Amino acid sequence: QVQLVESGGGLVRPGGSLRLSCAVSGRTFSSSALAWFRQAPGKGREFVALVRWTSSTVYGDSVKGRYTISRDNAKNTTYLQMNSLKPEDTAVYYCAAKIAPGYDFLGTRSYEYDNWGQGTQVTVSS
């Protein structure tokens, strides 16, 4: 019962930056865990970043140190700031939400989420 809409994708040069946004509506926002995943053609859905209701964060190894996930509860929005982009970052990026996750929630596996946005394409190319 939550809706997510991503925006901010596009074409950028290697080394450039993008900020993705995901607007969340329909359910309580502050008690949710919000995450970003990405999927390139022929590859599985890869965990990118997680921000919990406590504002703690987790990053996938491939983006650690380059990406920053954040949330603005007043705007019901999560952001993914992507810096130092590489061609291998090219993928469709999806935001996902889990409302009121339990104590055993890890948040790094796609099957843990049942609320997904439609995705936004990020292409890194010169």
Side-chain angles (χ1 to χ4, degrees), residues 38-47 62 87-92 94:
R38 67 186 184 185
Q39 188 165 20
K43 300 179 68 176
R45 191 160 294 187
E46 177 189 16
F47 170 73
S62 62
E88 52 263 43
D89 294 317
T90 296
V92 177
Y94 299 90

Side-chain angles (χ1 to χ4, degrees), residues 4-9 18-24 33-39 45-52 58-60 62-63 67-71 77-82 91-98 107-110 113 115-122:
L4 304 97
V5 180
E6 303 98 332
S7 62
L18 278 178
R19 189 179 75 157
L20 306 183
S21 300
C22 177
V24 184
L34 304 173
W36 290 90
F37 290 77
R38 67 186 184 185
Q39 188 165 20
R45 191 160 294 187
E46 177 189 16
F47 170 73
V48 174
L50 162 71
V51 58
R52 299 187 179 95
V58 180
Y59 295 93
S62 62
V63 306
Y67 290 15
T68 302
I69 188 171
S70 61
R71 63 192 296 163
T77 301
T78 183
Y79 304 96
L80 184 69
Q81 178 67 47
M82 305 183 294
V92 177
Y93 283 70
Y94 299 90
C95 62
K98 178 67 175 181
T108 61
R109 306 287 188 174
S110 61
Y113 299 88
N115 302 111
W116 294 87
Q118 292 298 114
T120 185
Q121 176 71 46
V122 172

Side-chain angles (χ1 to χ4, degrees), residues 32 50-58 69 71 73:
S32 68
L50 162 71
V51 58
R52 299 187 179 95
W53 55 100
T54 61
S55 295
S56 63
T57 57
V58 180
I69 188 171
R71 63 192 296 163
N73 289 345

